[in-house]
Amino acid sequence: MDKKEILSKNVVLLSEVTESEVRMQTQGGNQPSIEAISRIIDLLKQIIFPGFFGAEIRDRESRYYHIGVCMEELETRLKEQIRLSFKCFKGENVCEDMSDEIAVKFIEMIPEIKRVLYTDIAAMSETDPAVTSFSEIIFCYPVVQVMVNYRIAHALLTLGVPVLPRIMTEMAHSKTGIDIHPGAQIGEYFSIDHGTGVVIGETCIVGNHVTLYQGVTLGAKKFTYNENGHPVNLPRHPILEDNVTVYSNSSILGRITIGHDTVVGGNIWLTEAVPPYSRIIQQKAVSETFTDGAGI
Amino acid sequence: MDKKEILSKNVVLLSEVTESEVRMQTQGGNQPSIEAISRIIDLLKQIIFPGFFGAEIRDRESRYYHIGVCMEELETRLKEQIRLSFKCFKGENVCEDMSDEIAVKFIEMIPEIKRVLYTDIAAMSETDPAVTSFSEIIFCYPVVQVMVNYRIAHALLTLGVPVLPRIMTEMAHSKTGIDIHPGAQIGEYFSIDHGTGVVIGETCIVGNHVTLYQGVTLGAKKFTYNENGHPVNLPRHPILEDNVTVYSNSSILGRITIGHDTVVGGNIWLTEAVPPYSRIIQQKAVSETFTDGAGI
Amino acid sequence: MDKKEILSKNVVLLSEVTESEVRMQTQGGNQPSIEAISRIIDLLKQIIFPGFFGAEIRDRESRYYHIGVCMEELETRLKEQIRLSFKCFKGENVCEDMSDEIAVKFIEMIPEIKRVLYTDIAAMSETDPAVTSFSEIIFCYPVVQVMVNYRIAHALLTLGVPVLPRIMTEMAHSKTGIDIHPGAQIGEYFSIDHGTGVVIGETCIVGNHVTLYQGVTLGAKKFTYNENGHPVNLPRHPILEDNVTVYSNSSILGRITIGHDTVVGGNIWLTEAVPPYSRIIQQKAVSETFTDGAGI
Amino acid sequence: MDKKEILSKNVVLLSEVTESEVRMQTQGGNQPSIEAISRIIDLLKQIIFPGFFGAEIRDRESRYYHIGVCMEELETRLKEQIRLSFKCFKGENVCEDMSDEIAVKFIEMIPEIKRVLYTDIAAMSETDPAVTSFSEIIFCYPVVQVMVNYRIAHALLTLGVPVLPRIMTEMAHSKTGIDIHPGAQIGEYFSIDHGTGVVIGETCIVGNHVTLYQGVTLGAKKFTYNENGHPVNLPRHPILEDNVTVYSNSSILGRITIGHDTVVGGNIWLTEAVPPYSRIIQQKAVSETFTDGAGI
Amino acid sequence: MDKKEILSKNVVLLSEVTESEVRMQTQGGNQPSIEAISRIIDLLKQIIFPGFFGAEIRDRESRYYHIGVCMEELETRLKEQIRLSFKCFKGENVCEDMSDEIAVKFIEMIPEIKRVLYTDIAAMSETDPAVTSFSEIIFCYPVVQVMVNYRIAHALLTLGVPVLPRIMTEMAHSKTGIDIHPGAQIGEYFSIDHGTGVVIGETCIVGNHVTLYQGVTLGAKKFTYNENGHPVNLPRHPILEDNVTVYSNSSILGRITIGHDTVVGGNIWLTEAVPPYSRIIQQKAVSETFTDGAGI
Amino acid sequence: MDKKEILSKNVVLLSEVTESEVRMQTQGGNQPSIEAISRIIDLLKQIIFPGFFGAEIRDRESRYYHIGVCMEELETRLKEQIRLSFKCFKGENVCEDMSDEIAVKFIEMIPEIKRVLYTDIAAMSETDPAVTSFSEIIFCYPVVQVMVNYRIAHALLTLGVPVLPRIMTEMAHSKTGIDIHPGAQIGEYFSIDHGTGVVIGETCIVGNHVTLYQGVTLGAKKFTYNENGHPVNLPRHPILEDNVTVYSNSSILGRITIGHDTVVGGNIWLTEAVPPYSRIIQQKAVSETFTDGAGI
């Protein structure tokens, strides 16, 4: 079989809908657009941090013009993407109305989302001695990027929007290495330093003034399976009360409560509840001196 | 010396080929194009997940047109990038023929790559209780992104293509924080949850139905050096048999075998072989209550 | 209130400068441009690795033309971004002169930055047996990407440029998962393998021939607060002497010295100084065999 | 009034809907998109001249894939732009159905449009001795560009589509300087050489095998006005029978018939009917010799 | 000489500043940016025809936001391009202030420019029986495109801005084939139908309610030269009083006055003044019937 | 037949190669790329008018860098487009060598092309009293745009390159309305004012110091046909000796010689030879006064 035949044959072969595709119902209509969602996040950044993202803001009127223009584009794009998330097609008016309504409800929530995001920035500035200005935090710190996406995604999830919230947090995950499930509930004045490898699971509840370092997992330990062998979506991630700090690369797993004002050291594997005011540290490593140049 | 002189002087200075460059033979001809490789991955996604990536698919004929168009562009771009990878220039016909041949051989492998990728998605849906739809996995989950790139790269590597496979897995590494060497051999129904920080080394052999969590390293422990002091490329990474699960931030190092149906807990440093049906957990952390507000 | 009213009301609401914004002084003029900074990095890559990034280089003259053109654009863009970093506006000539002067001083440093970057590549080639060519390292290895950005950013920081250096290292952090503060001092022949999750803090001092693996943190343990409760920026990160290797996911915290020729194993939490020629390993994990199919 | 006040005042002033705008009803909803219409023309060129515009065509199957893909995108975009031309908004389903229907009717007409366009190319090759290949005509000759747009626009106009046809012919007008109203009726084997300045009015009827040169006007001489003083849209442009040639810069005006097999010379102002087989030439110019260096 | 030498030699040769370049002083600093000027025109279209160009306008507030945002960008870009037109560099503050001042003065003129442009549209709708809607005129008619650019350019010229006005009218010339010098003075209710080839010279004075057709030249007949042999810029183009119509391809040349309410037929070469209420027509062409198939 | 069937049917129908396509041999391989040719022109403008097109030029060295970089890209792109023009495919080495050779020969001609283009600019500055600076001419005047393309195209045509030259002059035709065939021979100090509608035929010979105005045609009057009825490509366009001026909208047709130092007035139809020092003017138009308000 020559090259031309191989190509033709493979086009035919790959055009057939495989059993996997049928089983997974991956044959669909329009899908949400990554570009559009990315633009939605961008517009919200311009609305929430005017002057930092988007055009230069000269004065109050300038602020008003720009926020107005962003808000209109936001509303248009958001309802479109919500509609696509519901897999509703253009003719299905009921669905379209619902999407419009949710978009407006979300817009009503923006000032509150803004307020809480500024508490996260304040917390960050108190956590990291390397901070030289708020500009630096807003511009450079991955935690801002991830919390903007998470707090938007969480709001949309509470409004019942499918798929879209997860796409948003995965966008932030890809850029920052911080993976916060939109279902997690996170309080005010939340900060993450460095952050690469942080995972916060779907049913986590995190209080106020909590700080995490890179590589921290707030995960599940064990799943419950239903009679069909599918994992059941129950509360399975930890609860962190107020004023908890978790150092780098520690894993806190299962539906356990970490009491308020607790410090968890680095590289800890923690699967049991901890009372308030605790301090958890790893067992001391074994150390020896060697001079033979060998590795470990 | 004024500014103009400094600029001129530095242009001259930097135009000289340094000894390092000579030694490293970094003076080269054309290099593979990142944009072109990125487009190759994109085309393969449209071919393997039609309707999810690329244009809307209306019906069977529509699927056929689109896969046909993608396949042609794929073939053209792939053979060009393979050729550049071989650093062969346009006049060297032998090399050009070889590149064409490899491109076609790769195209023959696409249906099998597709089949296995769907087993990965199936595995993912069984691992994570937070999954609400297959769309969500295909769109959002970093593991899909990384496995698409890895499985393509691995196929190209087995066909003898240099450089290109590694560029592909590094692209996925950059986006997902998951670093799978194209040389690793990974079975079906493979899943990685969250994934940031996962490293799978060049000579790893991974069975079917294996699940890894974020921060897991399947690495080398010690290198063998040849008489010139250069590290030798021998099997040096672990073998994971079927049905192994490794929790977050654990490192499994060296050419050791982890027996089938084993669970490795989180934050483990494992450098010795483990029999089937094992369960490995970290020693309990030290905990104490404190009320003096101090850190660790 | 109907949709139109809600939108209008929210535009007004969000146009008001909140107390947080006033307190954080986030109302500003022009900000540095992410696109421009990204282009600056790109130009430096073309200057330092001619033929690998940017147009094909044919011969010495070709090299000279291209480096000349890149250098001019670099100078123009760099002084503009330095000026924006100083938040100086166009009329403030003093500031403009200072920015020009710094840009030229930086340009004088490029040949030395280039020299050191080539030592990093050499180190990388000696660390990883999977390396097949220098092209592969320059093109594929995240460590190159991160060290280019870090070494540029560090040079700018020593010249007194604010904000810009941090933006540069965060760009690399986002792409590679490796977070090196521009303030850290890192010697020659430095290599990081895989690298996701690596954190190197602001006051670290790292010797020559040091190798880190993924997930390694060189961090702070405890902050000193001033009378206002703000953390004070003192030396608080470790010193690694020459020839130190740290394996995956270990954390070395606080202003401690790790003596030369030391190897730190993986998953270690290290907060105390270590003499030269040490070898640190984790306590052995608990292992048991089970056949009941349960997780951990 | 300072700069800031002037800007603010003018924003307010220009935000007010002027009387002219009210009178002209220029306040509207969505308008057709120039980009989308431009893409529609582009897709039709790829369908009608496969291999000349769009991707390289390798063989029959390749042709089939590409035409299939173009056809789908064409259908989607065309119905959208038709709908916008009808100023119908998304909820108005009747209008949406009508737009869909017209788009399909138009698609049915494409093979006939293609056939006629190839007669124009054939005519062009017989008119111009400078032609060296058909490729040259299809690629270079403005007449092809203008006839593609005109023949598409005319078909859409006969299907009752408003605005869109005129936008299409104005696009060609802008690129070629040839202004053919979509309402004109033009036979087969039509050619225009050079063409800049050619105008063909709305009610023209042009036979087969007609050739025009640059600057030729087939225009109206006099309008009829209705009782409100508005010009009435009656047949007012000339009829050119088969085999008529009109040389450069001549104007033929009014509802007059130019009989078949007639040649009209250049720079003629013609407002009266002409019988078949006529030959019209300008009166001889006045010539004198001068040696005083003066202009005219 | 081989290829490499030829290239090198020619680079050197072409790098030398030729005598022509010295004589023409074509060695300069920054030049105005075509892209920026194009954007300025675009912003003015959005301000003057909101809803037709730029984003959809929903209501009064929407109009206000969008005009506000456009106005700010306009002001920023315009003063930059004016500055570049003055060839003034950044440090020359006097020049910068002047540019800012002119930009603001121009902004004050926008409402009047808008008013007059709407009279042109009104005139166009009364001239052409083929008009079906005002949308069609604004979207499709080249005269709108050319008059927008001309009226902006003329305003800038009266404010003393060099080069920029001419670039603007040449942009319209390129797109429409209508060449209006920014220095010409043109009254209200001006219309041009088809328009390709129309030329209106620098010192023309055109009254109200004037209509021109394609190919009409309002040009100079004879130049006056100064003692150095350079042409002198004196009034040298015609004056058209109110209510004059000129048909296609006619040329009116020299500082002559065409009296009000005059009609000039097509293809006329007119170099003498004409009293009011005149009607000018070409001498009748010679016509003969022929049957021998020959051309002219 | 429903919509889906109509689409499918038409895709099949249009995929068939029609008889016209077979006859015209329009089935081809790769075609020259409009984008690449456009870039070639752009590079030549940067080489010939450094500082006017492309980046700012600071000094001699800057000029050298930029011309070097442009020259390399020019050489690469030009030989590729020449090769495509010869319809030669990559393996055909003979053809490839020829294309390379022609590209180099062309590069050798650039300094001479530059010299002559500067004479055109000088001529333009002496023709038009509205000129305020050379910058204005280079930036704004369509004649520069058209002469750059023509003089490049003519050089390529003399080197035997097919198709490419015509595409270049048609690009300029589209932008300026001036249609100069690349085969025409045009002397130094050539100028065209306004220019829309100018046509200069393939076999024209134009001396030095010739000036044309808008709408001038230097065309063919009559074709000679061969035994197959195809027009024969013989000398058929006029010869204009030195110092000839032709005013707007005149047509000079056939292989006639216009003697040196002749002035041809506007709107003339000239088909007979004219001795040196002639002055040709149109017969006087008929003029009458009317007061009844009627048109012509």
Side-chain angles (χ1 to χ4, degrees), chain E residues 192-204:
Chain E
I192 300 176
D193 204 9
H194 312 300
T196 310
V198 165
V199 173
I200 301 179
E202 185 185 11
T203 63
C204 277

PDB file of all heavy atoms in Angstrom, chain E residues 192-204:
ATOM      1  N   ILE E 192     -19.990  62.273  -4.288  1.00  0.00           N
ATOM      2  CA  ILE E 192     -19.236  61.738  -5.430  1.00  0.00           C
ATOM      3  C   ILE E 192     -19.820  60.364  -5.709  1.00  0.00           C
ATOM      4  O   ILE E 192     -19.866  59.520  -4.810  1.00  0.00           O
ATOM      5  CB  ILE E 192     -17.741  61.557  -5.090  1.00  0.00           C
ATOM      6  CG1 ILE E 192     -17.097  62.888  -4.695  1.00  0.00           C
ATOM      7  CG2 ILE E 192     -16.999  60.953  -6.274  1.00  0.00           C
ATOM      8  CD1 ILE E 192     -15.632  62.760  -4.257  1.00  0.00           C
ATOM      9  N   ASP E 193     -20.243  60.094  -6.913  1.00  0.00           N
ATOM     10  CA  ASP E 193     -20.765  58.756  -7.205  1.00  0.00           C
ATOM     11  C   ASP E 193     -19.687  57.936  -7.915  1.00  0.00           C
ATOM     12  O   ASP E 193     -18.992  58.450  -8.785  1.00  0.00           O
ATOM     13  CB  ASP E 193     -22.044  58.846  -8.041  1.00  0.00           C
ATOM     14  CG  ASP E 193     -22.895  57.575  -7.862  1.00  0.00           C
ATOM     15  OD1 ASP E 193     -22.565  56.749  -6.985  1.00  0.00           O
ATOM     16  OD2 ASP E 193     -23.890  57.422  -8.584  1.00  0.00           O
ATOM     17  N   HIS E 194     -19.558  56.670  -7.495  1.00  0.00           N
ATOM     18  CA  HIS E 194     -18.537  55.756  -8.037  1.00  0.00           C
ATOM     19  C   HIS E 194     -17.139  56.265  -7.693  1.00  0.00           C
ATOM     20  O   HIS E 194     -16.430  55.675  -6.939  1.00  0.00           O
ATOM     21  CB  HIS E 194     -18.708  55.545  -9.534  1.00  0.00           C
ATOM     22  CG  HIS E 194     -20.122  55.228  -9.906  1.00  0.00           C
ATOM     23  ND1 HIS E 194     -20.775  54.136  -9.412  1.00  0.00           N
ATOM     24  CD2 HIS E 194     -21.027  55.903 -10.663  1.00  0.00           C
ATOM     25  CE1 HIS E 194     -22.022  54.117  -9.867  1.00  0.00           C
ATOM     26  NE2 HIS E 194     -22.201  55.177 -10.624  1.00  0.00           N
ATOM     27  N   GLY E 195     -16.763  57.351  -8.302  1.00  0.00           N
ATOM     28  CA  GLY E 195     -15.637  58.123  -7.801  1.00  0.00           C
ATOM     29  C   GLY E 195     -14.256  57.736  -8.277  1.00  0.00           C
ATOM     30  O   GLY E 195     -13.333  58.539  -8.195  1.00  0.00           O
ATOM     31  N   THR E 196     -14.043  56.518  -8.773  1.00  0.00           N
ATOM     32  CA  THR E 196     -12.684  56.143  -9.152  1.00  0.00           C
ATOM     33  C   THR E 196     -12.101  57.168 -10.108  1.00  0.00           C
ATOM     34  O   THR E 196     -12.722  57.512 -11.112  1.00  0.00           O
ATOM     35  CB  THR E 196     -12.676  54.752  -9.811  1.00  0.00           C
ATOM     36  OG1 THR E 196     -13.399  53.868  -8.980  1.00  0.00           O
ATOM     37  CG2 THR E 196     -11.261  54.247 -10.017  1.00  0.00           C
ATOM     38  N   GLY E 197     -10.910  57.661  -9.825  1.00  0.00           N
ATOM     39  CA  GLY E 197     -10.216  58.581 -10.703  1.00  0.00           C
ATOM     40  C   GLY E 197     -10.484  60.043 -10.422  1.00  0.00           C
ATOM     41  O   GLY E 197      -9.880  60.907 -11.044  1.00  0.00           O
ATOM     42  N   VAL E 198     -11.376  60.342  -9.460  1.00  0.00           N
ATOM     43  CA  VAL E 198     -11.617  61.749  -9.127  1.00  0.00           C
ATOM     44  C   VAL E 198     -10.364  62.347  -8.494  1.00  0.00           C
ATOM     45  O   VAL E 198      -9.726  61.716  -7.657  1.00  0.00           O
ATOM     46  CB  VAL E 198     -12.818  61.886  -8.170  1.00  0.00           C
ATOM     47  CG1 VAL E 198     -12.853  63.286  -7.528  1.00  0.00           C
ATOM     48  CG2 VAL E 198     -14.118  61.606  -8.900  1.00  0.00           C
ATOM     49  N   VAL E 199     -10.007  63.560  -8.921  1.00  0.00           N
ATOM     50  CA  VAL E 199      -8.879  64.281  -8.341  1.00  0.00           C
ATOM     51  C   VAL E 199      -9.340  65.693  -7.988  1.00  0.00           C
ATOM     52  O   VAL E 199      -9.891  66.392  -8.845  1.00  0.00           O
ATOM     53  CB  VAL E 199      -7.711  64.372  -9.345  1.00  0.00           C
ATOM     54  CG1 VAL E 199      -6.599  65.270  -8.794  1.00  0.00           C
ATOM     55  CG2 VAL E 199      -7.169  62.987  -9.652  1.00  0.00           C
ATOM     56  N   ILE E 200      -9.122  66.103  -6.745  1.00  0.00           N
ATOM     57  CA  ILE E 200      -9.467  67.468  -6.331  1.00  0.00           C
ATOM     58  C   ILE E 200      -8.206  68.106  -5.761  1.00  0.00           C
ATOM     59  O   ILE E 200      -7.678  67.660  -4.743  1.00  0.00           O
ATOM     60  CB  ILE E 200     -10.597  67.457  -5.281  1.00  0.00           C
ATOM     61  CG1 ILE E 200     -11.837  66.758  -5.867  1.00  0.00           C
ATOM     62  CG2 ILE E 200     -10.929  68.877  -4.838  1.00  0.00           C
ATOM     63  CD1 ILE E 200     -13.024  66.657  -4.910  1.00  0.00           C
ATOM     64  N   GLY E 201      -7.709  69.140  -6.456  1.00  0.00           N
ATOM     65  CA  GLY E 201      -6.400  69.712  -6.144  1.00  0.00           C
ATOM     66  C   GLY E 201      -6.369  70.566  -4.891  1.00  0.00           C
ATOM     67  O   GLY E 201      -7.411  70.930  -4.325  1.00  0.00           O
ATOM     68  N   GLU E 202      -5.144  70.922  -4.517  1.00  0.00           N
ATOM     69  CA  GLU E 202      -4.874  71.550  -3.227  1.00  0.00           C
ATOM     70  C   GLU E 202      -5.590  72.875  -2.993  1.00  0.00           C
ATOM     71  O   GLU E 202      -6.023  73.176  -1.896  1.00  0.00           O
ATOM     72  CB  GLU E 202      -3.353  71.809  -3.117  1.00  0.00           C
ATOM     73  CG  GLU E 202      -2.908  72.339  -1.782  1.00  0.00           C
ATOM     74  CD  GLU E 202      -1.417  72.674  -1.795  1.00  0.00           C
ATOM     75  OE1 GLU E 202      -0.808  72.687  -2.875  1.00  0.00           O
ATOM     76  OE2 GLU E 202      -0.874  72.921  -0.711  1.00  0.00           O
ATOM     77  N   THR E 203      -5.741  73.685  -4.049  1.00  0.00           N
ATOM     78  CA  THR E 203      -6.290  75.024  -3.830  1.00  0.00           C
ATOM     79  C   THR E 203      -7.721  75.161  -4.355  1.00  0.00           C
ATOM     80  O   THR E 203      -8.230  76.274  -4.511  1.00  0.00           O
ATOM     81  CB  THR E 203      -5.383  76.087  -4.495  1.00  0.00           C
ATOM     82  OG1 THR E 203      -5.367  75.856  -5.910  1.00  0.00           O
ATOM     83  CG2 THR E 203      -3.965  76.022  -3.950  1.00  0.00           C
ATOM     84  N   CYS E 204      -8.386  74.010  -4.592  1.00  0.00           N
ATOM     85  CA  CYS E 204      -9.782  74.043  -5.026  1.00  0.00           C
ATOM     86  C   CYS E 204     -10.667  74.655  -3.946  1.00  0.00           C
ATOM     87  O   CYS E 204     -10.425  74.464  -2.749  1.00  0.00           O
ATOM     88  CB  CYS E 204     -10.305  72.619  -5.268  1.00  0.00           C
ATOM     89  SG  CYS E 204      -9.892  71.981  -6.881  1.00  0.00           S
TER      90      CYS E 204
END
